[in-house]
Amino acid sequence: MSKKEATFNDLVRKVRKQLFGKGPERIKTYFIDNLAITILQGNLTPTEKFIARSSEGKEMVHAARTRMIQEVYAQKVPEGLEELAGSKLLYLFSDIKVEDDIAVSVFIFEKPIGK
């Protein structure tokens, strides 16, 4: 893992921890052209796991997790993220498979991310 990937992972983890009270246990980022694809495992808090035991609860956790992440990044890009990528963040797509506690975020930047 490059220093840039490790720093990017740390920035993403910090945002998740501040937002949900728990950051992912494992995180891996791939830089491809102007994309940063981040796979996050071990995201859910004990409370979210409890809520997700029903199908309605699963939907609630999924909606909260995906919408909150996208709103946070839309309101204000986390400090250091664009500087690290060397480009402006244009879009963030995020999803989580609640039953497997794995999430993916795809960050789309204006220009290619230098390695």
Side-chain angles (χ1 to χ4, degrees), residues 9 13 21 24 30 33 35 52 54-55 61 63-64 68 70 72 74 77 94 99 109:
N9 290 348
R13 181 178 281 114
Y30 302 90
D33 194 36
L35 307 174
S54 71
S55 59
V61 170
M68 281 178 74
Q70 291 175 354
V72 162
V77 176
S94 189
E99 53 274 17
F109 291 92

Side-chain angles (χ1 to χ4, degrees), residues 42-45 48-66 95-103:
N43 302 280
L44 302 177
T45 65
E48 288 172 317
K49 287 178 184 177
F50 178 79
I51 292 168
R53 294 192 322 198
S54 71
S55 59
E56 299 85 17
K58 236 180 245 162
E59 286 179 36
M60 277 178 33
V61 170
H62 180 271
R65 281 259 171 184
T66 53
D95 201 3
I96 186 167
K97 185 153 176 89
V98 174
E99 53 274 17
D100 295 328
D101 197 359
I102 186 167

Side-chain angles (χ1 to χ4, degrees), residues 22-108:
K22 177 186 185 302
E25 292 164 11
R26 289 179 307 289
I27 184 169
K28 175 78 175 131
T29 297
Y30 302 90
F31 294 131
I32 304 164
D33 194 36
N34 67 325
L35 307 174
I37 302 164
T38 303
I39 299 165
L40 310 103
Q41 296 175 300
N43 302 280
L44 302 177
T45 65
T47 303
E48 288 172 317
K49 287 178 184 177
F50 178 79
I51 292 168
R53 294 192 322 198
S54 71
S55 59
E56 299 85 17
K58 236 180 245 162
E59 286 179 36
M60 277 178 33
V61 170
H62 180 271
R65 281 259 171 184
T66 53
R67 286 190 198 132
M68 281 178 74
I69 288 295
Q70 291 175 354
E71 283 181 21
V72 162
Y73 280 84
Q75 288 169 8
K76 184 180 184 299
V77 176
E79 196 171 315
L81 196 76
E82 291 177 328
E83 294 81 359
L84 181 69
S87 182
K88 178 178 170 32
L89 179 66
L90 299 177
Y91 307 102
L92 168 64
F93 297 92
S94 189
D95 201 3
I96 186 167
K97 185 153 176 89
V98 174
E99 53 274 17
D100 295 328
D101 197 359
I102 186 167
V104 66
S105 289
V106 179
F107 300 81
I108 302 177

Side-chain angles (χ1 to χ4, degrees), residues 11-24:
L11 288 169
V12 170
R13 181 178 281 114
K14 181 180 171 189
V15 169
R16 303 278 174 137
K17 188 170 173 126
Q18 288 172 340
L19 198 56
F20 300 112
K22 177 186 185 302

